[in-house]
Amino acid sequence: MNGRKELDELLRTMPRVWRGRRPQANEGAAIPTGFQALDRALPEEGWPFPALMEIAVPAWGIGELQLLLPAMRYVQESGKRLAWIAPPYLPYAPALADAGIDLNRLLLLDKLSNDKDIWWSAEKLLRSTACGMVLAWPRKLSPFAVLRRLQLAATEGRCLGILLLTALPADTPAALRLRLEAGEQGLWVHILKARGMPLVNAVLIGGSDDRAPN
């Protein structure tokens, strides 16, 4: 067996081996973000799926839920459920309904008091195959081993897991890592890590039109 055949065999038998800028066909389609400039900027042309991603939010309420609303609707329209775990504030149900979220297909766990319960719940829901998207708000930085379990659970359950944090851990197995920044004209989405090379490092969304800085 020559080197090329050995490599092909390795890639065939180990689907989790990362191959480069674009995802493998059998990894599943990315979830559209709902923002054209952001889709164009991301290597997978949307939120990676199935996968774990992290979003650093310096202050709650700067637009993190608006950023994810189009993807939430997309997931529900595909027949899957949403799950929110330990959000910092109780979501306002009428506003979510007005935004097109089916409240009957939204599972809310808002009574969890420690991160171990949050991580455990997130792992179970990610692996359940009942959810298309699981959002979790851990109170502290998640250890690498926990993040690794969540990444594997998301892959096995074919789900998008999203951790919203005020700060990011130094190292992570997450497929995508973002940092949000409130701007005068909208919300800046900084792309810190992706499975491949992003076309730009930051995208402004939420204004009259979405745009990238270069």
Side-chain angles (χ1 to χ4, degrees):
M1 182 178 290
N2 60 33
R4 177 56 185 271
K5 288 184 177 180
E6 290 176 349
L7 177 59
D8 290 342
E9 179 64 14
L10 176 65
L11 294 175
R12 187 186 69 78
T13 57
M14 299 183 69
R16 290 183 184 137
V17 172
W18 176 59
R19 300 190 187 195
R21 184 176 185 278
R22 294 295 174 187
Q24 303 171 55
N26 63 358
E27 282 186 300
I31 295 178
T33 68
F35 304 96
Q36 292 184 2
L38 188 54
D39 282 345
R40 287 195 297 268
L42 292 169
E44 297 178 67
E45 302 176 356
W47 303 130
F49 181 85
L52 178 72
M53 57 183 279
E54 299 169 336
I55 303 178
V57 185
W60 303 125
I62 64 172
E64 64 273 19
L65 292 182
Q66 286 78 9
L67 173 68
L68 299 172
L69 276 173
M72 294 186 211
R73 290 192 292 266
Y74 180 91
V75 165
Q76 286 195 327
E77 289 167 0
S78 71
K80 293 285 189 176
R81 295 180 180 275
L82 301 176
W84 289 18
I85 303 173
Y89 300 104
L90 191 64
Y92 185 55
L96 288 176
D98 288 344
I101 300 300
D102 181 354
L103 301 180
N104 293 318
R105 301 184 67 79
L106 170 61
L107 174 64
L108 173 64
L109 302 179
D110 65 338
K111 302 296 185 184
L112 302 182
S113 58
N114 64 70
D115 276 13
K116 288 186 178 179
D117 291 339
I118 294 172
W119 297 330
W120 185 88
S121 301
E123 185 175 353
K124 296 299 181 184
L125 287 169
L126 286 168
R127 189 171 278 115
S128 70
T129 71
C131 295
M133 182 187 292
V134 174
L135 280 68
W137 284 261
R139 301 299 187 256
K140 297 182 294 187
L141 296 181
S142 305
F144 186 89
V146 171
L147 296 173
R148 180 62 178 161
R149 289 205 308 272
L150 296 179
Q151 167 67 23
L152 289 174
T155 302
E156 293 172 3
R158 300 200 56 75
C159 186
L160 175 60
I162 302 176
L163 301 181
L164 295 114
L165 306 145
T166 54
L168 296 175
D171 197 11
T172 178
L176 180 64
R177 168 175 276 193
L178 307 175
R179 178 173 59 83
L180 305 186
E181 177 187 3
E184 293 183 358
Q185 296 178 312
L187 181 69
W188 282 104
V189 180
H190 298 271
I191 304 171
L192 307 180
K193 175 192 174 186
R195 284 194 300 211
M197 184 67 70
L199 297 184
V200 294
N201 294 324
V203 176
L204 179 66
I205 65 168
S208 57
D209 58 337
D210 307 330
R211 64 184 174 86
N214 54 20

